[in-house]
Amino acid sequence: MKFSQLAIFFEQIESTSSRLTITELLSDLFKKLSPEEMDKTMYLLQGRVSPQFEKIEMGMAEKMVVRSALLSLNMDKDHFNKKNREIGDVGKTIEEFKKEFISLEEKQLSIIEVYEKLCNIASAGGAGSQDVKINTLSYLFRQADPLASRYLARIPTGSMRLGFSDMTVLDALSWMHTGDKSLRSAIENAYHVRPDLGFIGKLIKSEGIEAIHKVKPAIFTPIIMMRAERLSSSQAIIEKLGKCIMEPKYDGFRLQAHYSKKKNEVRLYSRSLEEVSEMYPDVIEGIKKEIKAEELIIEGEAIGYDVNTGNFLPFQQTVQRKRKYDIAEKVKEIPLKLFTFELLYLNGENLLQVPFSERRKKLEKAVKPRADVTKDTILLAPDTTTEDPKELELLFEDALTEGLEGMIVKKIDGIYQPGARGFNWIKFKKSYSSQINDTIDCLVMGYDFGKGKRADFGIGAFLVGVYDQKKDMFATVAKIGTGLSDQEWRDLQERCQKFKIDSKPALYDVDKMMSVDIWVKPEIIVEIRADIITRSTVHTAGRVLKPSKSGSAFDVEIPGYALRFPRLEKFRDKKPEDSTSLHELEELFKMQK
């Protein structure tokens, strides 16, 4: 396929807000692609040349794109900038000028040719790399037609803005085969093990839909992490699981470590699938020295450690290790301990379907069970087996006394379900200050400008929502305007600035009463504590509408869910789809004290 044809699909997708239409357009596109084009197109749809978990970026700011355009168009900078200010979109500005200039070099480049050139841009480094990037993109502009130029300008700057999620792509892969979403669940299971849209798409295209059932973990491809269900009493947990295994629930940050002894390499991934290896050199070194395996994939919780007192540090101090600068200094100030609790892959063996009790035994052989907390970095999370609700309650109270969040209770023969939330794991937490026994992970959808004192922050309230899995949309539950410190307001505004967009994304379900001044891409997850979950006609989470008697509008048949007295606990490192789901919110609503 020619890139100019792909650009037409880009434009059609960009111009619609219908989730179903986007799915059908993607399905039509996928049908036309060859296996060799499939993975490359998947990445280009995301504005990338590689999976999102790989640290490969174009490294081109808008100014460099403009320089490439000026070189290809051979035109005056001031004239270009004047037009760009009027249009407000450098891609559309280049598109308009391309319509005016007749290029003798223009020809129909293929998707693969364009992809390879973009890879050259991404891989260019060192002295003279800026010139290589500018000249390569300039070459592409000269070859491209006006519409294709619009998107060639957006891909290097990471601003494709096509408005769909990975889940929509999975729906489209199903639609490509059946004309509906019936295969979505099976494809999603494979994606949770190998969250690489290019890999999944090419596999289905080249080997057929049955190939997804053979997908296994791969070293250095992160597995989407499993999540726990909630129950609020020890009696309910024992009734659900019977004999079970308990582990402390640490208040740090979860890491998935991939290790190859042969390559002498360790990579660490966060819950959002970001590779964070450079941030935690002490954990990397600990795995290389203390792990007994040829290759493995393990999960654990990283906790800050006070070398003077021998105590573990609260989350507010541990989180200071999440930084890209002055890392060596922070390693000395706040060393980390990684409490491992899961083993997913060991020496070529896929352990996802192996019962937890067996995974635990293998983990104990790979990690020293009696590690010295003062010397070792990689520790084994302690465990206790019980079927007595009284013992479970006592251990839970002990965990709270020690400053832990609670317990994770695991089904003895439970499998590891990537990306899923089920009763193989149960989160046991309590709150004594509200009717809700847990916090809620929400997506920041947008914000309003500040007034008075908050005018200096540039933000005065922010809109949050939860994930409606059935609709593959984010629905609102609160607009939060209080409960943040001055620094938290500044931090939130700074994060929002990186992801602000011109219009509401198609995957946001927002009542007009809850509209905001600035919309934000689905990137920022915050942990919210609230006193109670109530019903609201203006929030869309769980809301059901019916046609009004006039037939020209809709009335609220069932109000949505809303958070009362919401307040920010902390920022979370998660994928948007891993925020609290509508189903979980409904369960919390039922479980309220």
Side-chain angles (χ1 to χ4, degrees):
M1 180 183 285
K2 302 301 182 184
F3 186 80
S4 58
Q5 295 172 278
L6 179 60
I8 294 171
F9 277 98
F10 286 164
E11 183 183 41
Q12 291 173 330
I13 292 168
E14 184 183 10
S15 62
T16 182
S17 59
S18 166
R19 310 292 296 153
L20 181 58
T21 302
I22 292 174
T23 301
E24 291 175 335
L25 285 168
L26 288 171
S27 173
D28 289 344
L29 168 62
F30 297 159
K31 288 176 183 177
K32 293 177 170 64
L33 296 173
S34 69
E36 290 69 31
E37 294 169 331
M38 192 72 169
D39 55 340
K40 299 167 181 62
T41 301
M42 286 287 192
Y43 302 138
L44 294 175
L45 282 164
Q46 301 172 80
R48 300 180 56 84
V49 294
S50 64
Q52 292 190 353
F53 56 81
E54 290 189 2
K55 286 189 169 183
I56 300 176
E57 303 291 343
M58 298 288 182
M60 292 191 76
E62 186 173 300
K63 288 183 178 179
M64 291 177 68
V65 172
V66 170
R67 288 175 61 187
S68 297
L70 295 175
L71 185 61
S72 67
L73 296 167
N74 192 26
M75 66 180 299
D76 178 68
K77 178 181 178 181
D78 292 337
H79 181 43
F80 181 93
N81 287 339
K82 181 181 178 182
K83 187 75 169 179
N84 192 30
R85 284 192 294 270
E86 292 173 4
I87 295 176
D89 182 324
V90 68
K92 289 186 176 180
T93 302
I94 297 170
E95 179 182 8
E96 288 303 307
F97 280 122
K98 283 287 291 186
K99 292 176 182 178
E100 299 176 11
F101 288 80
I102 299 174
S103 174
L104 298 177
E105 294 184 54
E106 190 174 304
K107 65 178 183 180
Q108 296 290 314
L109 291 176
S110 69
I111 289 174
I112 293 175
E113 288 174 311
V114 170
Y115 176 82
E116 289 173 349
K117 291 294 183 184
L118 292 173
C119 285
N120 291 341
I121 291 174
S123 61
S129 60
Q130 279 201 7
D131 289 337
V132 171
K133 293 174 187 286
I134 290 168
N135 290 330
T136 304
L137 185 57
S138 176
Y139 166 81
L140 289 175
F141 283 144
R142 288 195 298 272
Q143 307 296 320
D145 62 29
L147 181 61
S149 296
R150 181 202 301 181
Y151 296 102
L152 284 172
R154 290 179 179 176
I155 291 172
T157 56
S159 55
M160 280 293 282
R161 301 193 297 269
L162 295 183
F164 58 83
S165 70
D166 287 7
M167 298 303 107
T168 303
V169 176
L170 302 186
D171 283 340
L173 288 170
S174 172
W175 208 280
M176 175 178 68
H177 279 270
T178 63
D180 57 34
K181 301 178 183 180
S182 59
L183 297 176
R184 153 73 181 273
S185 179
I187 297 172
E188 187 175 358
N189 289 338
Y191 169 81
H192 285 163
V193 178
R194 297 282 295 272
D196 178 345
L197 289 176
F199 168 81
I200 296 293
K202 185 173 184 178
L203 178 69
I204 292 173
K205 193 75 178 181
S206 58
E207 298 183 29
I209 194 67
E210 290 301 317
I212 60 172
H213 299 296
K214 302 175 184 177
V215 171
K216 297 178 181 179
I219 290 289
F220 306 135
T221 295
I223 299 168
I224 295 183
M225 299 182 193
M226 182 174 166
R227 295 171 285 173
E229 271 289 358
R230 298 176 174 88
L231 287 175
S232 57
S233 74
S234 58
Q235 185 66 42
I237 292 172
I238 296 300
E239 288 175 0
K240 187 72 178 178
L241 299 184
K243 193 174 184 180
C244 53
I245 297 174
M246 298 170 295
E247 297 173 347
K249 188 178 189 310
Y250 297 101
D251 193 9
F253 42 86
R254 192 166 165 185
L255 293 176
Q256 188 177 102
H258 292 233
Y259 170 54
S260 169
K261 185 177 181 180
K262 183 178 181 180
K263 294 182 179 180
N264 191 33
E265 185 175 3
V266 178
R267 294 185 196 173
L268 304 176
Y269 300 96
S270 69
R271 289 193 64 153
S272 63
L273 306 187
E274 179 187 4
E275 190 193 339
V276 292
S277 308
E278 294 177 1
M279 295 184 188
Y280 312 118
D282 44 347
V283 176
I284 297 281
E285 191 64 22
I287 288 173
K288 288 181 178 180
K289 288 183 176 180
E290 299 165 28
I291 290 293
K292 294 177 286 185
E294 294 302 312
E295 59 178 17
L296 52 60
I297 301 173
I298 55 174
E299 282 183 17
E301 194 85 359
I303 310 289
Y305 180 73
D306 188 327
V307 293
N308 297 316
T309 65
N311 297 327
F312 292 102
L313 299 174
F315 179 81
Q316 289 75 11
Q317 289 178 269
T318 296
V319 78
Q320 294 179 41
R321 282 297 307 272
K322 287 187 176 182
R323 56 172 56 216
K324 297 182 179 179
Y325 308 101
D326 302 323
I327 292 171
E329 178 184 330
K330 277 296 175 183
V331 168
K332 293 179 181 178
E333 181 184 340
I334 307 175
L336 293 177
K337 305 293 180 182
L338 183 70
F339 279 95
T340 58
F341 52 72
E342 268 296 354
L343 178 62
L344 311 182
Y345 178 88
L346 177 66
N347 300 335
E349 182 183 2
N350 174 15
L351 301 178
L352 298 181
Q353 300 296 316
V354 171
F356 174 66
S357 56
E358 294 182 31
R359 298 201 305 273
R360 174 77 192 193
K361 289 176 183 176
K362 291 178 182 290
L363 179 64
E364 289 172 357
K365 292 180 180 179
V367 179
K368 299 176 185 177
R370 298 180 180 177
D372 185 342
V373 71
T374 63
K375 297 179 181 178
D376 294 319
T377 301
I378 313 303
L379 310 173
L380 192 67
D383 70 318
T384 304
T385 302
T386 187
E387 53 186 334
D388 181 358
K390 291 183 179 179
E391 183 181 11
L392 175 55
E393 188 71 32
L394 287 171
L395 288 166
F396 172 71
E397 297 295 342
D398 286 345
L400 296 182
T401 301
E402 293 174 12
L404 300 173
E405 282 194 310
M407 306 287 291
I408 293 291
V409 188
K410 297 183 177 181
K411 189 177 180 181
I412 285 182
D413 60 352
I415 62 172
Y416 187 96
Q417 298 171 282
R421 188 184 298 278
F423 284 102
N424 285 325
W425 288 8
I426 295 176
K427 182 170 25 174
F428 188 18
K429 292 174 66 176
K430 283 185 180 178
S431 170
Y432 298 103
S433 61
S434 75
Q435 294 187 39
I436 310 171
N437 278 331
D438 205 349
T439 53
I440 297 165
D441 292 332
C442 296
L443 176 77
V444 177
M445 304 166 77
Y447 66 90
D448 290 329
F449 295 126
K451 297 179 180 179
K453 178 183 177 181
R454 288 187 206 154
D456 295 336
F457 304 150
I459 183 171
F462 61 104
L463 182 68
V464 298
V466 297
Y467 183 47
D468 186 335
Q469 292 173 305
K470 290 183 179 179
K471 296 181 179 178
D472 188 22
M473 297 187 76
F474 293 93
T476 67
V477 291
K479 185 176 277 190
I480 303 171
T482 59
L484 279 72
S485 67
D486 289 357
Q487 187 57 49
E488 285 172 331
W489 281 117
R490 293 189 184 96
D491 289 346
L492 180 58
Q493 202 275 340
E494 184 179 340
R495 291 171 188 249
C496 287
Q497 285 299 106
K498 297 177 183 177
F499 303 113
K500 67 178 184 178
I501 48 179
D502 298 333
S503 59
K504 180 174 73 68
L507 69 168
Y508 287 2
D509 183 8
V510 183
D511 188 279
K512 63 181 180 180
M513 296 291 290
M514 285 291 110
S515 189
V516 292
D517 294 327
I518 299 294
W519 294 104
V520 176
K521 289 169 64 176
E523 296 283 351
I524 305 168
I525 304 295
V526 288
E527 183 177 323
I528 300 296
R529 187 174 295 282
D531 283 359
I532 191 171
I533 302 171
T534 61
R535 289 287 193 175
S536 167
T537 59
V538 297
H539 283 296
T540 57
R543 188 176 73 173
V544 177
L545 300 177
K546 63 179 180 180
S548 64
K549 293 180 180 179
S550 66
S552 60
F554 290 90
D555 295 328
V556 175
E557 183 175 1
I558 301 175
Y561 296 104
L563 307 182
R564 189 178 182 191
F565 303 123
R567 49 207 179 270
L568 177 71
E569 286 278 298
K570 58 190 176 186
F571 294 98
R572 297 301 305 270
D573 190 2
K574 286 186 170 186
K575 288 169 62 69
E577 293 83 8
D578 286 340
S579 59
T580 297
S581 69
L582 175 58
H583 171 71
E584 293 175 77
L585 193 69
E586 290 169 341
E587 292 300 311
L588 285 171
F589 180 74
K590 296 174 186 175
M591 290 166 58
Q592 286 181 137
K593 300 173 187 176

